[in-house]
Amino acid sequence: MQSLLNKKIVLGISGGIAAYKSAELARLLIQEGASVQVVMTEAAQQFVTPVTMQALSGNPVFTSQWDSSVANNMAHIELSRSADAILIAPASADLMAKLSLGLADDLLTTLCLARDCSLLLAPAMNKQMWEHAATHRSVARLTQDSVALLGPASGAQACGEVGMGRMLEPAEITEQLIAFFQKKPLAGKKVLITAGPTFEAIDPVRGITNRSSGKMGFAIARAAVEAGAQVHLVAGPCDLETPLEATGKISRTNVISAKEMHAATMNSIDCDVFFAVAAVADWGIAKPSKEKIKRQGKQSPNLEFIANPDILLDMAKIVRTKAGKPHPYCVGFAAESTDLANHANEKRKRKGIPMVVGNIGPDTFGSDLNQLLIIDESGSKKMAKAEKLQLARQLIQLVAKKI
Ligand code: C5P
């Protein structure tokens, strides 16, 4: 799925060593379906050449406001008129200061001032420059002018120091630009999500788990952040990266067992929507061995099972009786091998929740594709097979309407 299809992006590059990453950024934006028009400042051309950017973007690069090849010699007006967004990466301290004052002494600053579209900046500078009061003033003014800042991040810098001011990675900038274009029906809402499998220890090296990859839950987390929510993700053991982490709109608790997942979820009950996407083990081992269980000839160990708490059931109960708190809209998930619609609806009623989402088909585990059946009080509706992120976005829009 290309999340930036038909979007026209002006990619501005100012002078900073992070400019070498703009080449990769241009590639990623194009991969997502955007058309990219690069505009470089004079200083940017000291770090990366227009030829490189032209080859990657497939468009001639603009470097001067005196370019006579543009109709009426008005490149700044033409470019900002046709763009869906101007993204400047890296945005140097100098460029941010100029933009915050409305200065327009080269093509990039001029087209920002003349723009009729959103402006997003990915700052990149040495940590002293980022922490300087003058930069703070620039950031405050730019924020007031509705300019979106993507990052910066903290970490090792080209100058050898470690601290705030690193440009976000191209993949993070791309994720955030995609998020920027999504509708925001969950702005101001809190969303809690369980995702992934759980692992029930038998002894220090063995355990019982399941085939859940966590991809659906993580896709819902990403779609919820994109929709403007503050998200808390309670994740079972899976090695997926937290989506849109650099936005600061998502937090994560990693857990292993169902009991830990239950405790972490109960710690975060103050939410507007709860998605129970995790494949929680129904039973744990009553007394996991502290030492590795040795083989005893042909005799197999006697494992005693104990039922795990039902996180979704408890969540629906607790919050409903919690005075003064808004009732979170609880969404359960169901993976059944037979008669999905009936089992899922029965599950919805038994758990006392308004919506259950059924995973159709046996190939959902680990796949990027899925097909969902939405079941609520009004009946059931099949969603077309699609990428999990696309389904997650549709589901978020649907739930947003319910609340
Ligand atoms: O029928 P089952 O209880 O497995 O229903 C599945 C739904 O319940 C899923 O949304 C799953 O995340 C949630 N669940 C849970 N805690 C459990 C078992 C399931 O939250 N112990």
Side-chain angles (χ1 to χ4, degrees):
M1 178 188 35
Q2 293 186 305
S3 298
L4 292 174
L5 202 61
N6 301 324
K7 294 283 184 236
K8 289 185 183 162
I9 309 298
V10 169
L11 174 59
I13 307 177
S14 65
I17 183 59
Y20 82 94
K21 292 187 179 175
S22 309
E24 170 74 355
L25 177 59
R27 223 178 50 80
L28 292 179
L29 297 177
I30 288 165
Q31 241 173 43
E32 289 290 347
S35 66
V36 175
Q37 173 60 64
V38 176
V39 176
M40 299 174 78
T41 65
E42 203 181 325
Q45 296 167 64
Q46 299 293 323
F47 294 94
V48 58
T49 72
V51 176
T52 305
M53 297 312 301
Q54 174 167 345
L56 289 169
S57 65
N59 282 316
V61 171
F62 290 98
T63 55
S64 162
Q65 71 267 49
W66 313 121
D67 189 337
S68 57
S69 65
V70 179
N72 306 329
N73 203 6
M74 293 273 214
H76 54 290
I77 305 288
E78 291 297 326
L79 287 172
S80 66
R81 238 182 228 160
S82 59
D84 291 297
I86 301 172
L87 167 66
I88 304 183
S92 65
D94 175 69
L95 184 89
M96 287 171 62
K98 279 182 183 160
L99 293 177
S100 75
L101 295 173
L103 298 182
D105 63 354
D106 65 2
L107 178 60
L108 187 54
T109 49
T110 306
L111 78 91
C112 284
L113 197 61
R115 78 182 183 279
D116 191 15
C117 62
S118 304
L119 174 60
L120 300 95
L121 307 180
M125 64 198 72
N126 155 277
K127 74 171 187 170
Q128 262 85 24
M129 292 167 89
W130 175 252
E131 281 158 13
H132 197 285
T135 306
H136 282 219
R137 283 194 294 273
S138 303
V139 168
R141 278 198 213 102
L142 289 164
T143 310
Q144 222 170 38
D145 292 347
S146 305
V147 175
L149 290 195
L150 315 183
S154 179
Q157 302 200 304
C159 54
E161 295 189 75
V162 177
M164 278 299 274
R166 263 176 74 90
M167 188 170 88
L168 294 186
E169 292 304 322
E172 293 175 305
I173 295 174
T174 306
E175 257 193 358
Q176 289 208 29
L177 182 67
I178 291 169
F180 183 81
F181 283 119
Q182 302 298 317
K183 287 189 211 141
K184 305 279 176 249
L186 291 183
K189 302 286 183 206
K190 285 187 189 167
V191 172
L192 175 65
I193 300 164
T194 63
T198 60
F199 180 90
E200 306 300 320
I202 293 173
D203 66 20
V205 293
R206 304 186 186 93
I208 298 170
T209 186
N210 59 64
R211 291 175 56 210
S212 167
S213 64
K215 284 183 179 175
M216 193 65 226
F218 276 61
I220 291 173
R222 175 169 170 178
V225 176
E226 287 179 345
Q230 185 70 42
V231 173
H232 186 63
L233 182 58
V234 178
C238 57
D239 57 4
L240 297 177
E241 279 180 28
T242 309
L244 288 163
E245 196 171 14
T247 58
K249 301 270 287 176
I250 183 163
S251 53
R252 172 174 178 174
T253 306
N254 287 325
V255 297
I256 306 283
S257 66
K259 263 193 197 160
E260 284 175 24
M261 188 173 272
H262 184 267
T265 308
M266 293 304 139
N267 264 340
S268 309
I269 57 172
D270 176 23
C271 59
D272 302 291
V273 187
F274 173 51
F275 288 97
V277 198
V280 187
D282 290 320
W283 318 278
I285 305 297
K287 285 190 195 116
S289 170
K290 289 212 164 53
E291 286 162 19
K292 186 180 172 194
I293 301 170
K294 298 272 181 286
R295 187 204 290 262
Q296 292 161 359
K298 288 198 170 159
Q299 205 185 332
S300 51
N302 265 337
L303 296 177
E304 192 193 331
F305 287 91
I306 183 168
N308 275 328
D310 188 322
I311 303 167
L312 179 54
L313 188 76
D314 286 357
M315 186 75 179
K317 266 193 227 155
I318 289 174
V319 183
R320 194 181 298 127
T321 56
K322 206 166 157 69
K325 290 270 179 196
H327 188 296
Y329 190 87
C330 289
V331 182
F333 273 69
E336 298 288 339
S337 45
T338 55
D339 201 4
L340 175 64
N342 281 333
H343 280 126
N345 199 33
E346 185 274 321
K347 200 168 283 191
R348 187 180 74 82
K349 289 181 184 156
R350 178 164 46 85
K351 302 210 184 201
I353 55 172
M355 184 185 283
V356 164
V357 179
N359 289 301
I360 301 172
D363 59 346
T364 166
F365 293 112
S367 166
D368 287 330
L369 294 174
N370 205 359
Q371 192 172 8
L372 301 179
L373 183 71
I374 311 287
I375 298 151
D376 62 12
E377 71 289 343
S378 61
S380 65
K381 195 175 153 230
K382 215 185 243 188
M383 288 163 97
K385 190 167 185 169
E387 282 185 28
K388 287 180 175 172
L389 179 57
Q390 199 175 342
L391 292 169
R393 284 179 183 148
Q394 290 168 15
L395 181 60
I396 287 289
Q397 295 299 323
L398 211 89
V399 168
K401 278 192 196 127
K402 300 274 181 190
I403 61 164

